[in-house]
Amino acid sequence: MDASLASNQVSLASLPKGMSLGSVEAGTLEVSLDVKGKGTDWKVWQITGWVALTDGRVTAQDLDGPLSGVYLRLHLIRNGAEIKRLAFKIKDSDVSLSGSIRNWDKTPIISVKATSSHLDIDLLVPKGERSPIRDVLEDLAATSRLAATLDISRGLYKTLRFRDLSGQLTIQDGTVTIDNLRGETNGGTIDGHLKVRLPKLKPADVQASFRLADVPYEKVLQLTGDKQSLITGSLSTTVVLQGNGRDPQGVLHSLNGKVDVLVK
């Protein structure tokens, strides 16, 4: 194949019945592509040009909500791409990404910067044994190398609120790692490390260590579902845990390790 494809702005909502872009349900699409290649393996084809999506809407089974306001500007170059910007909202949270993909015809090397002005972290936690997020992470860990910097201005996880949360995410060789996780939470601070082994379609293994300092005790206790406590004060704790998905009741039930606690 040796072809060029260019389009004006196309409203996906106006496409003929039976024609769709999978989970992309709405938005305005514009493309300008040059395609050269032969055979059935498109990864070895030469594809260059631009793909733009504005005000898109993406749905996926088991997500807590659709991705709305999807904005994508993607520059395709030989054996890779530059992600000029990918931004979207899910419920009240927003995410913005920029970066590059190289070597996608072999082992993709992905480098991105991810930012959010407000993020409910619970939206990223896989629910149940399988989930779309779990599937994506397993595929990336098995086939690619990803390095990302994370910067969340305001975050939320159940009863804990975060400010200026940052870290470094690495995905490769079947493993997801978050290093140098730091931020402020409920007047205190948090820093930590997380490592998850994600063999494809097999139970996960988790290792985590984190430290909280001067965080209201009742906020942490509420994470367990206990809304009342006879103890109040500021909590400082150091936690080292490990667990695995082979436990019939899940990874959280299997967690075991060492916890040092000081309440004052």
Side-chain angles (χ1 to χ4, degrees):
M1 175 180 287
D2 187 346
S4 295
L5 172 64
S7 76
N8 295 321
Q9 294 183 349
V10 176
S11 172
L12 299 182
S14 65
L15 291 177
K17 187 176 181 179
M19 181 180 293
S20 71
L21 294 179
S23 59
V24 183
E25 294 185 340
T28 301
L29 180 68
E30 189 174 2
V31 299
S32 177
L33 299 174
D34 292 320
V35 182
K36 296 181 181 180
K38 61 181 179 179
T40 58
D41 187 2
W42 66 267
K43 290 184 179 181
V44 300
W45 291 15
Q46 295 183 24
I47 305 175
T48 58
W50 285 85
V51 176
L53 177 66
T54 303
D55 199 23
R57 179 183 172 90
V58 179
T59 60
Q61 186 179 6
D62 297 329
L63 277 181
D64 285 345
L67 306 184
S68 63
V70 179
Y71 181 95
L72 172 66
R73 295 297 183 267
L74 184 68
H75 182 201
L76 298 171
I77 54 180
R78 184 175 181 179
N79 297 328
E82 294 179 357
I83 307 169
K84 298 298 185 180
R85 189 180 181 209
L86 170 59
F88 58 86
K89 291 184 177 181
I90 177 169
K91 293 190 173 180
D92 294 328
S93 299
D94 62 83
V95 177
S96 180
L97 304 169
S98 62
S100 65
I101 305 171
R102 297 184 291 113
N103 202 41
W104 71 8
D105 57 329
K106 296 177 183 177
T107 301
I109 300 173
I110 306 167
S111 177
V112 297
K113 178 180 180 181
T115 63
S116 174
S117 64
H118 175 74
L119 182 65
D120 183 351
I121 297 171
D122 191 48
L123 293 172
L124 305 179
V125 178
K127 309 298 192 299
E129 183 177 353
R130 304 302 307 177
S131 70
I133 292 176
R134 172 71 182 266
D135 293 340
V136 169
L137 290 175
E138 284 186 5
D139 287 340
L140 285 172
T143 63
S144 308
R145 296 179 181 178
L146 181 146
T149 59
L150 310 175
D151 189 353
I152 302 169
S153 297
R154 294 181 295 118
L156 170 70
Y157 181 70
K158 298 187 183 299
T159 59
L160 295 181
R161 297 183 180 276
F162 302 96
R163 290 183 62 87
D164 300 326
L165 190 63
S166 63
Q168 297 173 334
L169 171 67
T170 304
I171 302 178
Q172 63 179 39
D173 300 328
T175 303
V176 177
T177 304
I178 299 179
D179 282 317
N180 301 320
L181 182 65
R182 294 187 178 93
E184 300 177 5
T185 176
N186 294 88
T189 60
I190 181 173
D191 61 80
H193 165 89
L194 175 67
K195 184 176 183 179
V196 183
R197 289 278 301 168
L198 279 178
K200 198 167 179 62
L201 299 178
K202 294 181 179 179
D205 291 319
V206 177
Q207 295 177 342
S209 62
F210 62 90
R211 180 173 57 196
L212 295 172
D214 299 322
V215 178
Y217 175 77
E218 59 272 19
K219 293 294 184 181
V220 178
L221 187 66
Q222 287 169 10
L223 289 175
T224 66
D226 191 343
K227 296 183 179 180
Q228 295 183 343
S229 173
L230 299 177
I231 301 174
T232 61
S234 295
L235 171 72
S236 295
T237 181
T238 300
V239 179
V240 179
L241 298 172
Q242 59 184 11
N244 62 74
R246 293 183 292 276
D247 189 309
Q249 297 185 51
V251 173
L252 290 178
H253 185 264
S254 74
L255 290 176
N256 191 18
K258 180 181 178 181
V259 180
D260 295 324
V261 176
L262 172 65
V263 180
K264 58 182 181 180

